[in-house]
Every structure is written in C-alpha cells, then in structure tokens.
Amino acid sequence: MRTTTMRLSCISAMLCISGCVSFINAQTSFEEYRRKAQEEFNQYRDKANAEFEAYRQRVNAEFTDYMRQAWEKFNAEPGTPVPPSPEPPKPEEAKPDQKPKDEALPFKKLKPLDRRAPKPTPLLPDEAPKLPKEKPSEPKEKPVQPKEKPVKPTPRPNPGPEITFSFYGNEYSVPFSNELRISLRGIDENSVADAWSRLLGNKSVELVRKCVELRDQLRLPDWGYAQLIEKIGDAAFPGKKSESNLLQMFLLTQSGYKVRIGRINNRIIMLMPFKETLYNYTFIPIDGVNYYMIDRSAGLGPVYMYNRSFPKEQVVSLSIEEQPAFGIKSSESRNFESGYGPGIQADITINKNLIDFYNDYPRSNRWDLYANASLSNELKKQLYPVLKSAINGRDQQDAANILLRFVQKAFDYKTDQEQFGEERAFFPDETFYYPYSDCEDRAILYSNLVRDLLGLKVVLVHYPGHLATAVKFDTPLEGDHFMIDGEKFVVCDPTYINSSIGMAMPSYKGSSAEIVRL
C-alpha cells in the first residue's frame, strides 16, 4: 500500500512538472507570437504611413502647383439680411371652457434639414495599433495562459514649441513649430503658394492631429471647429490676418473640409460653402453655391479666388448633433414654474460659455437647425427630474398637456424686435437664459421636451409670423391636426396660453402652414 502511494505521488509530481513545462512553453510561445505580431504590425504601419505621407505630399504638391496659376475674379455679394418677419400677435389666451374640435388643417411640407454625415476624414496617417486577427495554433489541451497586457501605441515625439489660446472658458495648447511660422512677401499667387509649401512639412501633421483631437474632445460641430481653428490662427499670427487666414484654410483643408482661399482689399481671406443659408455674411455665388467670407472685416470689392477642389472635401454644416463640452461658467439661478396640474417649479442655471458660443453662431433660415440641437446635459440634469416627477403615471395626453402648460406659463413673452431689435431664434438653452422668449423659442423648446420625455414624433408648424408644434400620439386624439403621410399630428401651441393639445390659435387656424419635420 505504501509503495502504491509513493508511486502515485511520483506520477502526480511528474504530471505537475510536465504541466508547468507546458505552461512555460505556452507562455513563451504566446509572448513570442505577440512580439512577432507587434513587429509585423509596426512594419505594416510604417509602410502604410510612408505611403500615406507620400500621397499627402503628392496631393498637396499638385494643389500648390495649381495655386500658382492666376486666380479667378469674382464680385462679392453683400450679406443677406435676416428676412423681416410679419409682426407676430401677442399671445392669445384660450377660454377656460374651450374644448378642442377634431379638424384637419391645410399645410405644405418643407424639405428636411440635410444633417451632418460622419465628420470629415482628416488627411492624417492612421496610428492606431492593432494586432493581426490570426491566432497561433494551439495544442488540443489548452494550457492556462497569462492575461494579455495591452499593447501600448508607439509614443509620439515631443511636439516642441506650443501656442496657447482661450476658447469658450478654457485655455488650450497646440504644438506649433517655428517651421510653421510663415510670413507672406505679398498676396500674389506665388507668394501664397510659397507660404503654403512651407506648411506642408511633417511638423504640420502633429498640429492637424491635435486640432482634430480637440474637435472630438470638445464635441464641436463644423462651425465650432472653424471657430477653434480661427483662434489657433490668430494666436499663431497676432495682428497678421492674412497669415492667420492662410493657416486656417490649410488646417481646415487638411481636416477634410471644403474651403477656398482668395484675396480682397490687400488681404488673404478664407471662404466656405455651407449647406444652409447664412445671414449677414458676404458671399460669392458660384454655380448655385454661396461661398461665405468668414473674415467679416475684409469688406466688399472684387475677389480673386483659388477655386480648386481638395480630395474628399466635405461641405460644412451648421447642424449641431451633440452639445459641445465647454467648461462650466454658471449664470445666476432663475426660477421657472407652472401651477397647472401637479405644479412644476425648477431653479435653473445656464452655462454662459455655451451662451457665448450660441451668440457667435451664424443666423440661419432653418427652424429645424435650432430644434434639433437639444438641451445641454447640464440643463437636463436640473430640469428633467422635476418634469419627470410631474408627468409620472400620466397618460400621453395628460403628460403632453402638463409640459405644454409649463412652456406656456413659465416664460415671459416679448418679440425678438422688442428684446433684440432683430429677428433671431433661440437654441433651447437660450430660452432659459434670456428674460423673454417668443413663439418660435417656445415651439423649439416644447419639441425637445416631448421628444425627450415622451418619445413622440413632433413637427414644427410654421405660419407667417408664428411657430407652433404638432405631435403624433400613439393613440390618435381629437383636435386640430395635420394628416402627414397618413399620420395624425395634433396641434400643440406653446404660445396659445391655457390652450390644451388639439387647439390651434384662432388667428392662424385658417392659414396654410408649412410643416417642418424634425
């Protein structure tokens, strides 16, 4: 018995030693595979980056050669002023015993906003390290393997000199080598092409990469990115607007955006086409496309423009797909309340950096641009728990009425002309910041609340001088409505005080409305 036990112990020890050897061999084999895979990847990446850099240099060289040819002459058109709007009526008030009547209203549909596709692809090599998908051959009995250590990306070189600038509440820095400090001898074609050539060196790659990283980090829309690039250009060349504009055009072009360069009144300028109409910006119309002069201080006169496409360039959009991530600078707290139903009361502060950003935003002709921008996350955290508590347990009709009365009652009314002396629509956060709002601001806000809190489809209803909303409920309700593609959208007017859903403002009920899809 004792001999048998000893034999079993010896066998167990031998198996243990054999297992350890197998484990060590497997570990060594796996680490060797990882090392070889990383080497292969590095070789592949270096080759791909070298090929891409050669492509980048070739594209930019061709672009520079064409830049030396005579630029085409155009006449700049003065900026289109914001169209005057018919004087809106003061908010009407529904009678206490007034009930909605089921009536279909006339309308016409507007083309929906052409919203931003995925952001443009910058002209940069891909540095993301990825191991090949193939796995090494494994023994039938798979040994226990050590945990994989993440593969660290190849460290980038120290960028060296930097420039610092302020952007909506925060300080940022980007690498800026002395090799990029261009100085224009003049604004003729050859002088500009020579300066452009100097920007094509390897030092510009890190600058473009950092700009794109900041764009994504701050969740900037196209216009916000153009503003960021303008800050960088002005910080790099203080007091030298031509050099600043040329750098801006270079960075935007390398980032994948459609941009043009020109000269006017002894200054280099940058021009950009937009998917939307921009008010109050001087522009050049070319083949049905308006190229807007972003430098608004350049003045009017003949413009000599270099009008050549860059590979895969993408037209700029004013659409805001997500709220920018600026630093927080809180406004004074304001109280908003409505006594309807369960009663709503909320104390709200607004990020003034976001308000500054919206103040710099170009005025546009698209209501859906403002309605699709949504409330900021900071405001939602303060407001939505209060509203959710008020509508909790209610059916869609009651909940929509509670939200409607909140927007009708919680805000003081003044027209844009009375408050600002000109027409302007609010992004949703602005309605909580400024002391007064009018019909389009309330309709834009209400459309956000219904979509976010009730998950229902909403359209904007645009009459001459007035904006309301209409909502598609899961269960069709009676009231003034529009039949849109076979679906019933019931009118909800945030400016028709004390009205319930299904009640259109009497002054506009007989007018043909434009339906703006969101």
Side-chain angles (χ1 to χ4, degrees):
M1 182 69 180
R2 189 172 184 180
T3 303
T4 302
T5 302
M6 290 179 64
R7 286 177 179 174
L8 289 174
S9 298
C10 290
I11 292 172
S12 298
M14 292 175 67
L15 289 174
C16 182
I17 293 172
S18 176
C20 291
V21 171
S22 298
F23 176 81
I24 293 171
N25 289 337
Q27 182 177 5
T28 303
S29 175
F30 184 77
E31 291 298 328
E32 180 66 17
Y33 159 73
R34 287 184 57 79
R35 184 185 64 78
K36 289 182 178 179
Q38 185 63 58
E39 288 178 354
E40 291 174 359
F41 169 78
N42 290 340
Q43 292 172 1
Y44 166 79
R45 182 198 57 197
D46 293 343
K47 180 182 178 183
N49 286 352
E51 291 174 350
F52 189 91
E53 180 60 21
Y55 164 76
R56 189 181 79 91
Q57 291 290 347
R58 184 177 70 255
V59 166
N60 278 299
E62 293 174 356
F63 194 75
T64 308
D65 289 341
Y66 278 98
M67 190 180 286
R68 297 185 185 280
Q69 300 178 14
W71 295 357
E72 192 173 354
K73 182 180 178 180
F74 299 92
N75 289 318
E77 301 283 345
T80 304
V82 178
S85 177
E87 181 65 24
K90 296 298 181 183
E92 298 181 29
E93 189 166 343
K95 297 177 181 179
D97 58 346
Q98 190 172 342
K99 302 294 183 183
K101 296 180 180 180
D102 200 39
E103 182 178 348
L105 305 178
F107 71 95
K108 62 179 180 179
K109 288 186 291 186
L110 295 181
K111 184 180 178 181
L113 181 68
D114 185 7
R115 303 185 73 181
R116 158 63 63 217
K119 291 186 182 296
T121 302
L123 203 63
L124 291 171
D126 182 10
E127 287 196 340
K130 299 175 183 177
L131 287 174
K133 293 183 179 180
E134 292 80 12
K135 294 182 179 180
S137 57
E138 298 176 344
K140 293 182 179 180
E141 294 185 6
K142 184 178 177 180
V144 179
Q145 296 181 345
K147 292 184 178 181
E148 296 185 27
K149 296 180 180 179
V151 179
K152 296 182 179 180
T154 304
R156 298 177 188 164
N158 189 326
E162 295 182 328
I163 53 174
T164 302
F165 59 95
S166 178
F167 189 66
Y168 295 110
N170 282 98
E171 295 287 324
Y172 301 96
S173 295
V174 294
F176 197 80
S177 168
N178 289 330
E179 296 176 21
L180 302 177
R181 295 193 180 279
I182 55 175
S183 180
L184 288 166
R185 301 188 310 273
I187 59 170
D188 59 283
E189 288 84 349
N190 281 322
S191 296
V192 174
D194 288 342
W196 182 274
S197 296
R198 184 170 179 180
L199 293 173
L200 297 179
N202 292 331
K203 296 296 183 181
S204 64
V205 173
E206 279 301 313
L207 174 58
V208 175
R209 191 186 307 281
K210 182 61 178 179
C211 291
V212 173
E213 286 179 357
L214 282 175
R215 179 196 69 183
D216 296 343
Q217 173 189 333
L218 298 176
R219 302 197 297 268
L220 297 177
D222 291 346
W223 175 259
Y225 188 54
Q227 293 285 90
L228 176 77
I229 296 301
E230 182 180 10
K231 290 287 187 181
I232 292 172
D234 289 346
F237 300 103
K240 295 183 176 182
K241 203 60 184 175
S242 289
E243 283 83 352
S244 172
N245 287 337
L246 181 59
L247 177 65
Q248 292 175 50
M249 190 265 190
F250 175 81
L251 294 176
L252 288 169
T253 299
Q254 305 300 302
S255 299
Y257 295 88
K258 186 172 185 176
V259 194
R260 296 293 183 264
I261 196 169
R263 60 175 181 267
I264 182 175
N265 299 331
N266 203 35
R267 177 186 294 187
I268 293 297
I269 59 170
M270 185 178 65
L271 303 104
M272 299 176 71
F274 284 78
K275 292 186 175 182
E276 304 82 15
T277 296
L278 270 64
Y279 294 128
N280 300 324
Y281 277 81
T282 304
F283 65 93
I284 297 173
I286 304 175
D287 298 330
V289 177
N290 292 340
Y291 289 77
Y292 293 93
M293 293 168 50
I294 304 304
D295 181 358
R296 301 174 73 180
S297 64
L300 288 172
V303 177
Y304 294 86
M305 189 170 98
Y306 173 48
N307 187 21
R308 181 174 173 81
S309 300
F310 206 81
K312 299 181 181 180
E313 62 184 15
Q314 188 165 313
V315 177
V316 179
S317 170
L318 289 178
S319 178
I320 301 178
E321 301 299 318
E322 55 183 344
Q323 286 296 319
F326 299 134
I328 303 298
K329 181 182 178 183
S330 296
S331 66
E332 292 184 4
S333 179
R334 290 181 60 195
N335 179 261
F336 298 88
E337 60 179 317
S338 165
Y340 177 79
I344 296 172
Q345 181 169 308
D347 294 318
I348 302 294
T349 61
I350 302 297
N351 186 0
K352 294 180 70 175
N353 291 324
L354 183 61
I355 296 299
D356 290 342
F357 176 70
Y358 286 148
N359 270 327
D360 293 336
Y361 224 79
R363 304 288 181 257
S364 180
N365 62 336
R366 299 301 305 242
W367 298 114
D368 39 358
L369 166 70
Y370 301 92
N372 285 328
S374 86
L375 290 159
S376 67
N377 291 331
E378 292 81 17
L379 199 156
K380 287 180 180 180
K381 290 176 183 177
Q382 302 170 71
L383 178 65
Y384 279 12
V386 177
L387 297 182
K388 287 178 179 178
S389 177
I391 64 176
N392 184 39
R394 307 278 182 146
D395 62 24
Q396 287 182 349
Q397 182 175 1
D398 282 347
N401 266 324
I402 290 170
L403 297 178
L404 185 62
R405 293 293 176 85
F406 171 72
V407 180
Q408 290 172 352
K409 295 283 194 176
F411 304 91
D412 293 327
Y413 183 92
K414 270 190 181 181
T415 66
D416 292 329
Q417 288 293 337
E418 291 173 324
Q419 185 169 197
F420 299 108
E422 64 176 358
E423 290 297 318
R424 62 170 291 180
F426 283 166
F427 289 99
D429 277 55
E430 294 181 290
T431 302
F432 289 87
Y433 179 77
Y434 292 103
Y436 306 102
S437 58
D438 63 6
C439 59
E440 70 264 18
D441 310 320
R442 297 172 180 219
I444 288 166
L445 173 60
Y446 184 70
S447 74
N448 270 267
L449 299 183
V450 171
R451 284 177 290 167
D452 286 353
L453 299 176
L454 302 182
L456 300 177
K457 289 183 181 179
V458 185
V459 296
L460 299 178
V461 182
H462 182 217
Y463 300 99
H466 183 57
L467 196 70
T469 66
V471 178
K472 179 190 176 297
F473 292 90
D474 291 339
T475 301
L477 305 175
E478 290 192 351
D480 295 324
H481 64 273
F482 301 92
M483 292 302 299
I484 306 172
D485 298 333
E487 295 181 319
K488 185 176 184 178
F489 284 76
V490 181
V491 172
C492 300
D493 195 332
T495 313
Y496 189 15
I497 308 303
N498 293 329
S499 68
S500 300
I501 59 177
M503 296 169 61
M505 192 180 290
S507 300
Y508 293 96
K509 189 171 180 178
S511 303
S512 180
E514 295 176 332
I515 297 298
V516 183
R517 283 192 175 276
L518 302 178

